[in-house]
């Protein structure tokens, strides 16, 4: 085990015991949390709530968040897939874009066909740069109240804000009407097959009328003005609830009243999304990966491809036409798990790619990983080798998701 | 003192053949130094589990050291899913890396608490790596090895000293 140095009893972290090869939480090192460091980290409205419930806090993108509570990671993960888990995801950036030309503005930054969305429908989309790289992935919802609601990654917050503000200045300078406002709300994710049964008693409307990726504003168990969006990061049926900060703890406690709801942290969040084949920005996608390489071509609306009117369009469209040189693929292996930066070798032991994220899969009881490989190796079933701790481990290219998705497709 | 030579191993036998979830009654052990003043560690049996600052423990009995990780370490590591351990015959050097434990979230290297040669690797861990979490001092032992230099044990912490720092 790694040396812990002079840790006092007050310092209970995972980082000190974990070796340098850390399973990434968004590729960011778990930082040692001394009691002084805690003060430098941002806190969500549920910070004290997490401590009260036995949350083990870590630094994630400058926020103090629980990586797990009293359940082990495997228990928490499996509970989400069989019942329901509650996650605090308030660290993510929530913004609202308003103004007559809001759709035109956000389309100028992303690959989404926002005009083609139905009212209150959302979609996963990507902010791209002029080289076709991905600045961030986000969910944009076209609300019926005159705004676009965007949720993006905490780790990209400063970058995204600077980018959007700069483009907004230019847009406004050209006499268009658009405005951005950062929302100061908490965000709770309730994920798992039991979600609908748990949440329905707290709603006036019928959850079966809320399709996947759609959003409504409603009261939840008496807490007013909650935006409930049927989406998530686990592959299960679930919602994300945006709630005023002052009501966040009360809402969390009300949801936790149901014994089927367990609290879950960043650790389970990461293993769940990996099983679901979902990308983690900073690991699986970055400014150096295009949507085509990442297998996210589907996020580019057909109309947008035809118009070629998004940043990096020339690079991206060329890759769509002629196939990219490399692709993001799934890998399954046994033995020592491959994590980020593990080298992928072909049968001749020549390096051909790199793992971008990986972990043991609690559901499959095997190791799963994502990595980029030459397009020629893209076929499911292709055997490769992974170099884990100087030993070669056999792996197989596998289609994702590793565990089937359970998104709500209708009543 | 001759009585110590009999007493210490007997105490060890009684105190350390305990069940998976109980701990040696260290209160009794702390009496021994006063009974066995000047007792040296140069016997084949060292009657105490010793701890490294990297959270491995070693228990030497009859010239063989059993190695594992501490309760604090297993709890911090979380669910162990894979044990990367050396092979029988491998030579380990004091403080040298000899393997790694993989959990869902991370991997953590293992460092040899003493120098010696691996005699046995816990085969049960291949099928049931969670034994390291559930029984870190008993069924979750990692390797057994020869002891090249007993004096290396003197550089390690007693369980009491280890617990003072890392008890939760």
């Amino acid at each position: 085990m790694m040396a812990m140095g002079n840790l006092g009893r007050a310092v209970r972290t995972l980082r000190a015991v974990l070796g340098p090869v850390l399973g990434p939480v968004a590729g960011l090192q778990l930082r040692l949390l001394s009691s002084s460091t805690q003060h430098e980290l941002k806190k969500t409205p549920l910070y004290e709530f997490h401590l009260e419930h036995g949350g083990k806090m870590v630094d994630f993108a400058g926020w103090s968040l629980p990586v797990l509570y009293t359940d082990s990671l495997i228990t928490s993960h499996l509970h989400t897939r069989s019942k329901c888990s509650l996650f605090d995801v308030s660290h993510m950036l929530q913004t609202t874009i308003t103004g007559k030309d809001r759709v035109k503005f956000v389309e100028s930054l992303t690959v989404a066909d926002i005009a083609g969305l139905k009212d209150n429908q959302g979609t996963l989309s990507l902010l791209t740069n002029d080289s076709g790289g991905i600045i961030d992935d986000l969910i944009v919802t076209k609300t019926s109240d005159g705004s676009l609601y965007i949720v993006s990654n905490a780790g990209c917050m400063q970058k995204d804000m600077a980018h959007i503000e700069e483009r907004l200045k230019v847009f406004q300078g050209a006499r268009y009407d658009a405005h951005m406002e950062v929302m100061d709300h908490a965000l709770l994710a309730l994920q798992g097959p039991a979600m609908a049964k748990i949440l329905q008693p707290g709603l006036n409307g019928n959850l079966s009328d809320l399709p996947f990726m759609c959003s409504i504003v409603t009261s939840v168990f008496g807490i007013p003005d909650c935006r409930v969006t049927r989406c998530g990061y686990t592959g299960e049926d679930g919602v994300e609830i945006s709630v005023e900060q002052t009501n966040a703890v009360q809402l969390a406690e009300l949801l936790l009243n149901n014994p089927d709801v367990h609290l879950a942290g960043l650790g389970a969040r990461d293993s769940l999304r990996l099983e679901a084949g979902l990308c983690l920005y900073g690991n699986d996608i970055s400014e150096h990966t295009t949507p085509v390489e990442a297998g996210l071509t589907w996020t580019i609306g057909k109309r947008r491809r035809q118009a070629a009117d998004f940043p990096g369009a020339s690079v991206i469209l060329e890759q769509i036409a002629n196939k990219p040189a490399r692709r993001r693929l799934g890998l399954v292996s046994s033995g020592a798990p491959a994590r980020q930066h593990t080298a992928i070798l072909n049968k001749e032991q020549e390096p051909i790619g790199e793992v971008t994220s990986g972990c043991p899969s609690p559901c499959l009881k095997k190791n799963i990983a994502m990595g980029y490989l030459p397009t020629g190796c893209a076929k499911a079933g292709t055997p490769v080798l992974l170099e884990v701790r100087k030993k070669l481990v056999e792996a197989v290219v596998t289609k994702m998701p590793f565990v089937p998705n359970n998104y709500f497709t209708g009543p | 003192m001759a009585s110590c030579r009999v007493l210490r191993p007997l105490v060890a036998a009684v105190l350390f053949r305990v069940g998976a979830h109980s701990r040696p009654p260290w209160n009794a052990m702390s009496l021994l130094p006063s009974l066995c003043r000047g007792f040296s560690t140069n016997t084949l049996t060292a009657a105490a589990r010793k701890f490294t600052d990297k959270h491995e423990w070693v228990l030497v009995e009859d010239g063989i050291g059993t190695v594992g990780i501490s309760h604090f370490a297993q709890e911090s590591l979380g669910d162990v899913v894979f044990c990367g351990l050396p092979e029988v015959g491998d030579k380990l050097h004091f403080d040298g890396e000899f393997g790694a434990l993989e959990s869902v979230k991370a991997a953590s290297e293992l460092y040899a608490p003493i120098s010696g040669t691996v005699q046995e690797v816990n085969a049960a861990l291949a099928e049931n790596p969670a034994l390291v979490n559930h029984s870190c001092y008993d069924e979750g032992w990692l390797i057994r090895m020869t002891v090249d230099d007993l004096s290396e044990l003197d550089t390690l912490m007693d369980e009491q000293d280890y617990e003072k720092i890392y008890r939760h």
Side-chain angles (χ1 to χ4, degrees), chain B residues 8 12 16 41 43-49 59-62 150 153:
Chain B
R8 202 152 178 147
F16 298 108
T41 52
T43 63
L44 290 176
T45 304
R49 185 174 277 120
L59 177 61
V60 177
E61 295 161 303
D62 300 323
L150 266 174
L153 287 171

Side-chain angles (χ1 to χ4, degrees), chain A residues 24-293:
Chain A
V25 180
L28 299 174
Q29 296 258 326
L30 297 181
R31 284 219 311 258
L32 195 68
L33 284 188
S34 70
S35 42
S36 62
T37 314
Q38 289 271 19
H39 298 308
E40 300 161 18
L41 297 176
K42 288 183 272 205
K43 295 174 181 172
T44 71
L46 275 80
Y47 175 77
E48 293 295 337
F49 173 89
H50 295 316
L51 294 181
E52 281 161 24
H53 284 88
K56 286 197 175 131
M57 310 303 279
V58 296
D59 172 2
F60 181 86
W63 292 81
S64 177
L65 286 165
V67 65
L68 75 170
Y69 297 83
T70 49
D71 285 343
S72 75
L73 282 183
I74 292 181
T75 302
S76 183
H77 177 114
L78 294 175
H79 183 84
T80 313
R81 295 237 183 270
S82 63
K83 292 273 168 69
C84 192
S85 288
L86 178 64
F87 302 79
D88 176 12
V89 292
S90 307
H91 56 298
M92 294 206 286
L93 180 64
Q94 300 175 69
T95 47
T96 314
I97 313 287
T98 51
K100 195 166 50 71
D101 302 306
R102 61 189 179 280
V103 171
K104 187 182 174 71
F105 175 62
V106 178
E107 283 197 359
S108 73
L109 305 173
T110 61
V111 298
D113 176 6
I114 300 175
L117 291 172
K118 296 190 199 121
D119 272 353
N120 298 314
Q121 186 182 26
T123 182
L124 176 72
S125 193
L126 311 168
L127 286 171
T128 49
N129 62 29
D130 294 330
S131 317
I134 300 170
I135 296 174
D136 198 6
D137 66 330
L138 47 85
I139 295 187
V140 53
T141 301
K142 190 166 96 174
T143 77
S144 55
D145 64 19
S147 68
L148 296 175
Y149 168 64
I150 300 177
V151 183
S152 58
N153 285 303
C156 298
M157 183 165 80
Q158 276 163 340
K159 180 176 67 161
D160 289 356
M161 296 276 302
H163 176 69
I164 296 172
E165 276 166 359
E166 189 218 314
R167 294 289 174 109
L168 191 56
K169 264 206 195 89
V170 174
F171 194 73
Q172 288 167 342
R175 310 289 184 84
Y176 288 112
D177 178 32
H179 310 275
M180 172 174 78
E181 197 182 297
V182 173
M183 291 172 65
D184 208 14
H185 280 206
L187 191 63
L188 305 183
L190 192 65
Q191 302 281 311
M195 180 282 294
K197 207 161 41 94
I198 289 163
L199 195 61
Q200 184 61 75
L203 303 176
N204 284 331
N206 201 331
L207 256 179
S208 51
D209 294 333
L210 185 67
F212 178 55
M213 296 310 291
C214 290
S215 189
I216 46 166
V217 175
T218 178
S219 65
V220 178
F221 289 110
I223 309 272
D225 300 321
C226 295
R227 173 168 287 288
V228 178
T229 309
R230 199 159 196 159
C231 68
Y233 196 45
T234 60
E236 298 297 327
D237 185 21
V239 292
E240 289 184 354
I241 307 174
S242 179
V243 60
E244 271 170 53
Q245 289 206 10
T246 46
N247 293 330
V249 172
Q250 195 187 359
L251 177 60
E253 282 170 353
L254 286 164
L255 293 170
L256 219 48
N257 268 343
N258 189 312
D260 281 350
V261 179
H262 286 198
L263 289 171
L266 295 172
R269 185 166 163 80
D270 192 44
S271 51
L272 287 160
R273 68 94 191 163
L274 237 179
E275 283 186 348
L278 300 171
C279 292
L280 177 58
Y281 191 85
N283 282 44
D284 312 302
I285 50 178
S286 71
E287 305 218 8
H288 306 290
T289 62
T290 69
V292 190
E293 290 168 338

